[in-house]
Amino acid sequence: MSVELYSPSGPGGTNASLQGTTVGGSKPLHRFIRAQPKITGIIVLVLGSSLCIVSISITPSSFQHVRKVMLGALFIICGVMYILTEHHPTKKTVTISLALSIVTVLGSFWTVLYTLPYFAHFHYNRDYSEYNVTDTEEVWSLYHEAMEITVETIFWVYAFVGAIIFIVMSALAGAALRSTKSQV
């Protein structure tokens, strides 16, 4: 992102000259700041908190959605670290952001790959229902299944979008850390 500034050079301000300035500086760690990790951190915080809140609210007694709560916690931790990295851009904070991003990418891929067989075999679950049910129970059972597949789809999209965000931020952090070695 670059900014063009006009400065008046004459006494009346009529001879304006064009100056080019790069926002964020030319240091290697400031190149990571150009990606605006604070905004990315806020987006990831929203994704992570929604993952945690919905996972906890739909499973009050079982530990079936623990992987989603853990993924949400990873999203929240990475979001906080991105915000801290923009406020204090040191080599240490960028390295921690990179490490957490890699772990979260692995967790996101694990969640996506764990959920895909559930989508593939979802329609087989209905074939083995009991035959001694009333029409009302069957209708409510179908509603429950539709809600369940919808929530799983939302979680899958969150994990997939989060993985893309973290891959991009990992690449930017890696490039910033690599260029500090060559410049120091």
Side-chain angles (χ1 to χ4, degrees):
M1 182 157 106
S2 63
V3 178
E4 295 179 359
L5 300 174
Y6 289 100
S7 63
S9 60
T14 56
N15 297 333
S17 63
L18 182 64
Q19 296 176 350
T21 305
T22 304
V23 176
S26 62
K27 293 182 180 177
L29 294 180
H30 290 260
R31 291 182 199 142
F32 178 70
I33 300 301
R34 281 190 218 156
Q36 297 184 355
K38 183 177 179 181
I39 294 172
T40 306
I42 291 170
I43 292 169
V44 170
L45 274 173
V46 170
L47 285 175
S49 58
S50 65
L51 271 172
C52 283
I53 290 170
V54 172
S55 295
I56 291 170
S57 67
I58 64 173
T59 58
S61 61
S62 70
F63 292 104
Q64 171 181 355
H65 294 284
V66 171
R67 61 185 159 85
K68 296 169 191 152
V69 174
M70 296 300 287
L71 185 65
L74 281 172
F75 276 32
I76 291 170
I77 292 168
C78 282
V80 169
M81 198 63 218
Y82 286 154
I83 293 170
L84 288 175
T85 302
E86 183 158 338
H87 288 293
H88 305 289
T90 63
K91 193 171 180 179
K92 190 181 291 187
T93 57
V94 174
T95 305
I96 293 171
S97 295
L98 175 64
L100 284 172
S101 294
I102 291 171
V103 169
T104 307
V105 165
L106 293 174
S108 295
F109 281 140
W110 178 66
T111 301
V112 166
L113 292 176
Y114 186 80
T115 309
L116 281 178
Y118 177 75
F119 289 141
H121 299 291
F122 179 72
H123 64 280
Y124 291 119
N125 292 338
R126 216 170 24 146
D127 294 338
Y128 297 110
S129 63
E130 296 181 31
Y131 295 106
N132 191 15
V133 294
T134 63
D135 290 336
T136 309
E137 289 176 358
E138 186 176 341
V139 168
W140 281 108
S141 148
L142 292 174
Y143 289 159
H144 183 274
E145 289 173 359
M147 285 188 290
E148 187 177 354
I149 195 72
T150 303
V151 169
E152 286 293 326
T153 304
I154 291 170
F155 285 150
W156 188 85
V157 168
Y158 278 9
F160 189 72
V161 168
I164 292 171
I165 290 171
F166 288 120
I167 288 171
V168 169
M169 293 303 284
S170 296
L172 292 172
L177 289 173
R178 241 180 282 125
S179 61
T180 58
K181 291 178 186 175
S182 64
Q183 204 174 52
V184 173

